[in-house]
Amino acid sequence: MPDTAPVIQITDLHKSFGQLEVLKGVDITAHRGDVVSLIGSSGSGKSTILRCANLLEDSQQGDIVFKGEPVHWKGSGPSRRPGDAKQVLRIRTNLSMVFQQFNLWAHMTILQNVMEAPVTVLGRDKAEVEEAARKYLAKVGIGDKCDAWPAQLSGGQQQRAAIARALCMEPEALLFDEPTSALDPELEQEVVKVIKDLAAEGRTMIIVTHDMKLAADVSDHVVFLHQGRIEEEGPPDALFGAPKSDRLRGFLSATQTA
Ligand SMILES: Nc1ncnc2c1ncn2[C@@H]1O[C@H](COP(=O)(O)OP(=O)(O)O)[C@@H](O)[C@H]1O
Ligand SMILES: [Mg+2]
């Protein structure tokens, strides 16, 4: 039933870049309101999972199901592609991505950046979108920056604008790819606060992060990846408090001393 179906359910996902297999059978499920964090060393496949989930990348095997609706593929293996362009658009716009490098348009004001996709991609009414955009910019604490250019904002403010932009799509879930990695520590915290507020209001989120404290604080479920496989997963208390695998123990002690 679509209402109880997970927002996103990924089963046995395999992804190769040419001969390099980077995802070797990964399962990820996020129900409505879940916060799932993906942790693991650089190159373990975290970003690739997010990009496959919202169909920015093709995958060669496995299922991706959005609210009970399986992605329709055409072809198989290396030639597998999503077969339904409307479905791709629906899924992509409902799994809104926040990137490490913000990716704001330099030639648009902050307000224009937030309004752009809802107006041009979703075809929504401009006045309604503007009202929503102002609301989301206020929500992330930069309601006074509507008319500023991205270059006039700090990194933390730019990332909060990028979060407002993702929210303005009214998506089913937010996908964060290392949202705080490009920020100085003091600016990192203002973005962490916004992410915690979103988690507290029951947003469905998948968060790739190197910030173990953030993962421990906001997650319902944490997934530790190693070389394209899930090495260990579970609730944050178990994963951080009583890691079972040597690899996870090694990873955690390395990140704590970093
Ligand atoms: N576009 C690409 N072409 C070829 N290899 C890629 C591409 N994107 C990622 N990879 C490789 O896939 C692996 C997983 O990358 P990625 O998902 O970015 O890891 P993570 O986000 O965990 O650091 C790495 O070995 C990386 O070099
Ligand atoms: Mg990455």
Side-chain angles (χ1 to χ4, degrees), residues 67-92:
K67 291 180 73 184
E69 180 192 335
V71 171
H72 302 302
W73 306 104
K74 62 169 195 255
S76 63
S79 62
R80 181 171 102 158
R81 302 283 180 277
D84 178 346
K86 280 192 178 147
Q87 182 187 45
V88 171
L89 183 66
R90 184 161 63 246
I91 292 176
R92 193 169 295 159

Short mmCIF file of all heavy atoms in Angstrom, two decimals, residues 67-92:
data_model
loop_
_atom_site.label_atom_id
_atom_site.label_comp_id
_atom_site.label_asym_id
_atom_site.label_seq_id
_atom_site.Cartn_x
_atom_site.Cartn_y
_atom_site.Cartn_z
N LYS A 67 7.94 4.87 -2.81
CA LYS A 67 6.55 4.83 -2.31
C LYS A 67 5.74 3.70 -2.96
O LYS A 67 4.64 3.92 -3.45
CB LYS A 67 5.86 6.17 -2.54
CG LYS A 67 6.43 7.28 -1.66
CD LYS A 67 5.74 8.60 -1.90
CE LYS A 67 4.33 8.63 -1.32
NZ LYS A 67 3.64 9.91 -1.66
N GLY A 68 6.33 2.53 -3.00
CA GLY A 68 5.64 1.37 -3.54
C GLY A 68 5.68 1.25 -5.05
O GLY A 68 5.16 0.28 -5.62
N GLU A 69 6.32 2.21 -5.70
CA GLU A 69 6.33 2.26 -7.17
C GLU A 69 7.73 1.87 -7.67
O GLU A 69 8.68 2.65 -7.53
CB GLU A 69 6.00 3.71 -7.58
CG GLU A 69 5.95 4.00 -9.03
CD GLU A 69 5.92 5.53 -9.30
OE1 GLU A 69 5.48 6.31 -8.44
OE2 GLU A 69 6.37 5.91 -10.38
N PRO A 70 7.89 0.66 -8.21
CA PRO A 70 9.22 0.25 -8.66
C PRO A 70 9.66 1.05 -9.90
O PRO A 70 8.83 1.33 -10.77
CB PRO A 70 9.06 -1.23 -9.04
CG PRO A 70 7.66 -1.61 -8.74
CD PRO A 70 6.86 -0.37 -8.46
N VAL A 71 10.91 1.38 -9.94
CA VAL A 71 11.45 2.02 -11.15
C VAL A 71 11.30 1.04 -12.32
O VAL A 71 11.62 -0.14 -12.21
CB VAL A 71 12.94 2.39 -10.96
CG1 VAL A 71 13.57 2.85 -12.27
CG2 VAL A 71 13.07 3.47 -9.89
N HIS A 72 10.75 1.55 -13.41
CA HIS A 72 10.60 0.72 -14.62
C HIS A 72 11.89 0.81 -15.43
O HIS A 72 12.27 1.89 -15.88
CB HIS A 72 9.44 1.24 -15.47
CG HIS A 72 8.15 1.27 -14.73
ND1 HIS A 72 7.59 0.14 -14.16
CD2 HIS A 72 7.29 2.29 -14.44
CE1 HIS A 72 6.46 0.47 -13.56
NE2 HIS A 72 6.26 1.76 -13.70
N TRP A 73 12.53 -0.33 -15.59
CA TRP A 73 13.78 -0.35 -16.34
C TRP A 73 13.51 -0.83 -17.76
O TRP A 73 12.60 -1.63 -17.99
CB TRP A 73 14.79 -1.30 -15.70
CG TRP A 73 15.04 -1.02 -14.25
CD1 TRP A 73 14.56 -1.72 -13.18
CD2 TRP A 73 15.83 0.05 -13.70
NE1 TRP A 73 15.01 -1.16 -12.00
CE2 TRP A 73 15.78 -0.07 -12.29
CE3 TRP A 73 16.57 1.09 -14.27
CZ2 TRP A 73 16.44 0.80 -11.43
CZ3 TRP A 73 17.23 1.96 -13.42
CH2 TRP A 73 17.16 1.82 -12.02
N LYS A 74 14.35 -0.38 -18.67
CA LYS A 74 14.39 -1.05 -19.97
C LYS A 74 15.83 -1.50 -20.18
O LYS A 74 16.76 -0.83 -19.78
CB LYS A 74 13.89 -0.14 -21.10
CG LYS A 74 14.68 1.11 -21.34
CD LYS A 74 14.24 1.76 -22.65
CE LYS A 74 15.24 2.80 -23.10
NZ LYS A 74 14.85 4.17 -22.90
N GLY A 75 15.95 -2.68 -20.81
CA GLY A 75 17.27 -3.28 -20.96
C GLY A 75 17.70 -3.90 -19.64
O GLY A 75 17.00 -3.81 -18.63
N SER A 76 18.88 -4.53 -19.67
CA SER A 76 19.38 -5.14 -18.44
C SER A 76 20.89 -5.06 -18.41
O SER A 76 21.54 -4.78 -19.42
CB SER A 76 18.92 -6.60 -18.35
OG SER A 76 19.47 -7.32 -19.42
N GLY A 77 21.43 -5.28 -17.22
CA GLY A 77 22.88 -5.24 -17.04
C GLY A 77 23.43 -3.90 -17.48
O GLY A 77 22.85 -2.85 -17.19
N PRO A 78 24.56 -3.92 -18.21
CA PRO A 78 25.23 -2.67 -18.58
C PRO A 78 24.34 -1.73 -19.40
O PRO A 78 24.57 -0.53 -19.42
CB PRO A 78 26.42 -3.13 -19.43
CG PRO A 78 26.62 -4.55 -19.09
CD PRO A 78 25.29 -5.11 -18.67
N SER A 79 23.31 -2.28 -20.07
CA SER A 79 22.47 -1.41 -20.89
C SER A 79 21.16 -1.04 -20.19
O SER A 79 20.26 -0.47 -20.79
CB SER A 79 22.18 -2.07 -22.25
OG SER A 79 21.47 -3.27 -22.05
N ARG A 80 21.06 -1.34 -18.89
CA ARG A 80 19.83 -1.00 -18.17
C ARG A 80 19.70 0.51 -17.97
O ARG A 80 20.64 1.17 -17.55
CB ARG A 80 19.84 -1.70 -16.80
CG ARG A 80 18.59 -1.42 -15.99
CD ARG A 80 18.54 -2.30 -14.77
NE ARG A 80 18.93 -1.57 -13.57
CZ ARG A 80 18.60 -1.94 -12.33
NH1 ARG A 80 17.90 -3.05 -12.12
NH2 ARG A 80 18.99 -1.24 -11.30
N ARG A 81 18.52 1.03 -18.30
CA ARG A 81 18.23 2.45 -18.10
C ARG A 81 16.80 2.57 -17.57
O ARG A 81 15.97 1.74 -17.89
CB ARG A 81 18.29 3.23 -19.43
CG ARG A 81 19.62 3.16 -20.17
CD ARG A 81 20.68 4.05 -19.57
NE ARG A 81 21.93 3.95 -20.31
CZ ARG A 81 22.85 3.01 -20.15
NH1 ARG A 81 22.68 2.07 -19.23
NH2 ARG A 81 23.95 2.99 -20.88
N PRO A 82 16.49 3.67 -16.86
CA PRO A 82 15.09 3.89 -16.51
C PRO A 82 14.28 4.08 -17.78
O PRO A 82 14.73 4.75 -18.72
CB PRO A 82 15.13 5.19 -15.70
CG PRO A 82 16.55 5.37 -15.28
CD PRO A 82 17.38 4.73 -16.36
N GLY A 83 13.10 3.45 -17.84
CA GLY A 83 12.33 3.44 -19.08
C GLY A 83 11.24 4.49 -19.17
O GLY A 83 10.66 4.66 -20.23
N ASP A 84 11.00 5.19 -18.07
CA ASP A 84 9.84 6.09 -18.04
C ASP A 84 10.30 7.47 -17.57
O ASP A 84 10.54 7.69 -16.38
CB ASP A 84 8.80 5.48 -17.08
CG ASP A 84 7.55 6.35 -16.91
OD1 ASP A 84 7.58 7.53 -17.31
OD2 ASP A 84 6.57 5.84 -16.35
N ALA A 85 10.42 8.39 -18.53
CA ALA A 85 10.98 9.71 -18.22
C ALA A 85 10.13 10.46 -17.18
O ALA A 85 10.67 11.18 -16.34
CB ALA A 85 11.11 10.54 -19.50
N LYS A 86 8.83 10.29 -17.25
CA LYS A 86 7.96 10.99 -16.27
C LYS A 86 8.20 10.45 -14.87
O LYS A 86 8.19 11.19 -13.89
CB LYS A 86 6.48 10.79 -16.64
CG LYS A 86 6.04 11.71 -17.74
CD LYS A 86 4.53 11.69 -17.86
CE LYS A 86 4.09 12.66 -18.94
NZ LYS A 86 2.89 12.20 -19.64
N GLN A 87 8.40 9.13 -14.78
CA GLN A 87 8.68 8.53 -13.48
C GLN A 87 10.02 9.04 -12.95
O GLN A 87 10.14 9.34 -11.75
CB GLN A 87 8.69 7.01 -13.60
CG GLN A 87 8.92 6.33 -12.27
CD GLN A 87 9.10 4.83 -12.40
OE1 GLN A 87 9.84 4.35 -13.26
NE2 GLN A 87 8.42 4.09 -11.54
N VAL A 88 11.00 9.14 -13.82
CA VAL A 88 12.31 9.64 -13.39
C VAL A 88 12.16 11.05 -12.81
O VAL A 88 12.69 11.35 -11.74
CB VAL A 88 13.32 9.64 -14.57
CG1 VAL A 88 14.60 10.37 -14.17
CG2 VAL A 88 13.62 8.22 -15.01
N LEU A 89 11.43 11.89 -13.50
CA LEU A 89 11.24 13.26 -13.03
C LEU A 89 10.52 13.27 -11.68
O LEU A 89 10.89 13.99 -10.76
CB LEU A 89 10.44 14.06 -14.07
CG LEU A 89 10.24 15.53 -13.72
CD1 LEU A 89 11.57 16.28 -13.71
CD2 LEU A 89 9.28 16.19 -14.71
N ARG A 90 9.48 12.41 -11.56
CA ARG A 90 8.71 12.35 -10.31
C ARG A 90 9.60 11.92 -9.15
O ARG A 90 9.57 12.50 -8.07
CB ARG A 90 7.54 11.38 -10.50
CG ARG A 90 6.60 11.28 -9.34
CD ARG A 90 5.26 10.68 -9.76
NE ARG A 90 5.39 9.31 -10.25
CZ ARG A 90 5.15 8.91 -11.49
NH1 ARG A 90 4.77 9.79 -12.40
NH2 ARG A 90 5.29 7.65 -11.84
N ILE A 91 10.41 10.90 -9.39
CA ILE A 91 11.28 10.40 -8.32
C ILE A 91 12.36 11.43 -7.99
O ILE A 91 12.62 11.74 -6.83
CB ILE A 91 11.87 9.03 -8.70
CG1 ILE A 91 10.74 8.00 -8.74
CG2 ILE A 91 12.98 8.63 -7.73
CD1 ILE A 91 11.16 6.61 -9.20
N ARG A 92 12.96 11.97 -9.04
CA ARG A 92 14.08 12.90 -8.79
C ARG A 92 13.61 14.15 -8.04
O ARG A 92 14.30 14.66 -7.17
CB ARG A 92 14.74 13.26 -10.11
CG ARG A 92 16.07 13.94 -9.92
CD ARG A 92 16.82 14.05 -11.22
NE ARG A 92 17.19 12.75 -11.76
CZ ARG A 92 17.49 12.53 -13.03
NH1 ARG A 92 17.47 13.52 -13.91
NH2 ARG A 92 17.84 11.33 -13.43
#
